[in-house]
Amino acid sequence: MAVVRWFREACWLTAGRAWLYGGILLTVPAIYLSAALVRVVGAGADAEPSLDFMAFHAASSLALGGDPAAAWDRLRHAAAQGLSPEQGYFPFLYPPPFLLLCLPLGLLPYAWSYLLWIVVTAVACILALTAYRPAPWPVVAVLCVLAPASVQNVANGQNAFLTTALFALVGLLLDRRPGGAAAALAVLACKPQLGLAVLPGLAAARRWRVILLGGLAVSILVGISWLVLGAEAWMAFFATMGTGPDALHSGQVPLWQMQSVQATLRGLGMPRVAAYVVQICATAAATVAIVVALRPRPGGRAEVAAMAAAAPLMTPYVFGYDLTLLLLPLAWILAEARRDGFLPWEKLGLALAYVLPGVSIGFVLFAGVGIGPVAALLVFGLVMRRIRVCGGAARLGADRV
């Protein structure tokens, strides 16, 4: 019983020891992050490193050159990256509104554009998470940038900092500025696979105004992209909507790169159909849990933390860098715990959830299969319990801020 209590209460995990243990654990991601940055910055203008960011930069360059629809053309988009579809290239799978966000990237050389993208989105993520008050901003910045999933995001030049910042912004605005929350959700619609919990969650919490305004904001964003990029861009996007799933199912994208429930089960040898059946069951179970937990309307921050925690469990297409989104529910739990005290097992759970995406990388390297759903399931469980046990206190806390 003493051993169980030692883990359950984790009294040994004080702030000072957390810095010590964290400093040791963060050494590896810090080295990896530095190597990723040096790889891009030191490559020079004539040697663009092969990163996911190439898709964003090439799409922007094509759009600025007067041919936005070429971003969804395999041959022209690959040529803009100096590659070919046969050799392998980085496709642009996002809808035209996301290309609007990427437009400035093509104004700069590749390395500078990459740095601008990473710095701006990282700062946005840090500021948004700091507003939840889990810790002083320097601590939030270190934990955010050196989280294992965040390091993967930087190494690939991906958009996980942006999606995390937008989710966090929705939580900050949901109670008092529904229009602003709706606008942030409209931008998030550019990555719909991470928003499967949003509509059920908003409906369960009776956020009808946000739903209506969100639909209006999406329509406006679509209209702006239509005017700026042209109808041809939308036609090209619709013509290639099946490219992403086809690439995943055909093996063009290695299964181990995904961190979803179905990908993990398939990596363990389960047949594809059976893995997708389990994925559907996981999505349905998470949806039911979200609806039940958010019916009492525990407050915008709690509601969005639950949606963000559920996202990696509900979609069959989630990559390692997408687990950066779990930093939002972790920040919310830590902020609540600092005010009202930690629940049993919560300290240990937070620490494990933070490092598990890094452990998943190790499993990928040595076993060829990720365990991303374990981290997502742990965070989701912590959020659901915190809402159930402290829902009223969380709501009052949100009102006081």
Side-chain angles (χ1 to χ4, degrees):
M1 292 300 296
V3 174
V4 172
R5 186 164 54 251
W6 191 78
F7 282 105
R8 183 185 63 200
E9 304 301 332
C11 295
W12 46 272
L13 190 56
T14 62
R17 288 175 178 172
W19 272 110
L20 175 61
Y21 304 150
I24 296 173
L25 289 174
L26 292 177
T27 301
V28 173
I31 294 173
Y32 189 80
L33 177 64
S34 301
L37 293 173
V38 169
R39 178 188 175 203
V40 175
V41 177
D46 299 327
E48 299 177 357
S50 296
L51 307 176
D52 292 359
F53 181 74
M54 292 182 74
F56 304 161
H57 191 262
S60 170
S61 299
L62 290 168
L64 292 174
D67 193 7
W72 294 274
D73 184 282
R74 295 174 69 247
L75 293 176
R76 287 182 289 175
H77 190 228
Q81 300 174 34
L83 302 171
S84 70
E86 293 73 22
Q87 294 172 324
Y89 80 113
F90 299 92
F92 190 78
L93 303 177
Y94 297 90
F98 186 74
L99 182 52
L100 288 178
L101 296 178
C102 297
L103 273 182
L105 299 176
L107 297 172
L108 295 173
Y110 182 83
W112 286 107
S113 182
Y114 164 84
L115 288 176
L116 175 68
W117 175 256
I118 292 299
V119 170
V120 170
T121 56
V123 169
C125 185
I126 292 167
L127 291 176
L129 294 181
T130 300
Y132 280 67
R133 301 182 181 178
W137 77 262
V139 178
V140 176
V142 171
L143 293 177
C144 179
V145 173
L146 293 183
S150 299
V151 173
Q152 291 185 66
N153 179 67
V154 174
N156 288 281
Q158 264 291 347
N159 53 25
F161 282 145
L162 177 62
T163 54
T164 303
L166 288 169
F167 261 105
L169 184 60
V170 174
L172 295 171
L173 299 176
L174 196 56
D175 288 320
R176 298 182 179 179
R177 293 181 174 84
L185 285 172
V187 181
L188 269 172
C190 293
K191 198 156 185 175
Q193 70 270 30
L194 294 182
L196 297 181
V198 171
L199 190 57
L202 292 176
R206 302 175 303 285
R207 303 281 186 177
W208 309 119
R209 186 179 178 187
V210 176
I211 293 175
L212 292 174
L213 290 175
L216 177 60
V218 169
S219 300
I220 293 173
L221 192 57
V222 168
I224 294 173
S225 66
W226 186 288
L227 291 174
V228 174
L229 302 175
E232 295 81 5
W234 276 99
M235 294 173 63
F237 167 69
F238 286 129
T240 59
M241 282 187 65
T243 301
D246 288 345
L248 295 171
H249 295 156
S250 65
Q252 295 179 42
V253 176
L255 190 63
W256 55 262
Q257 290 187 5
M258 288 191 288
Q259 300 290 312
S260 62
V261 171
Q262 65 87 17
T264 297
L265 294 177
R266 289 173 64 193
L268 292 173
M270 181 177 286
R272 175 179 160 186
V273 173
Y276 270 98
V277 169
V278 177
Q279 176 68 72
I280 292 171
C281 292
T283 301
T287 302
V288 171
I290 286 285
V291 170
V292 172
L294 302 191
R295 284 184 65 188
R297 202 170 183 173
R301 300 183 184 198
E303 294 162 28
V304 173
M307 298 174 197
L313 293 173
M314 295 179 67
T315 175
Y317 308 117
V318 59
F319 292 84
Y321 52 79
D322 288 319
L323 297 182
T324 304
L325 183 58
L326 296 179
L327 293 176
L328 169 56
L330 293 180
W332 174 75
I333 293 172
L334 185 56
E336 294 295 306
R338 290 184 68 200
R339 189 188 67 231
D340 301 323
F342 286 94
L343 299 175
W345 301 102
E346 202 165 48
K347 278 188 180 182
L348 184 61
L350 289 171
L352 287 175
Y354 183 81
V355 301
L356 274 175
V359 176
S360 183
I361 298 174
F363 271 82
V364 164
L365 294 176
F366 294 103
V369 59
I371 58 168
V374 177
L377 184 61
L378 175 57
V379 175
F380 188 61
L382 291 173
V383 171
M384 291 294 102
R385 186 180 67 154
R386 169 66 65 169
I387 291 176
R388 178 177 58 83
V389 175
C390 308
R395 183 169 58 252
L396 292 174
D399 294 337
R400 287 199 301 264
V401 175

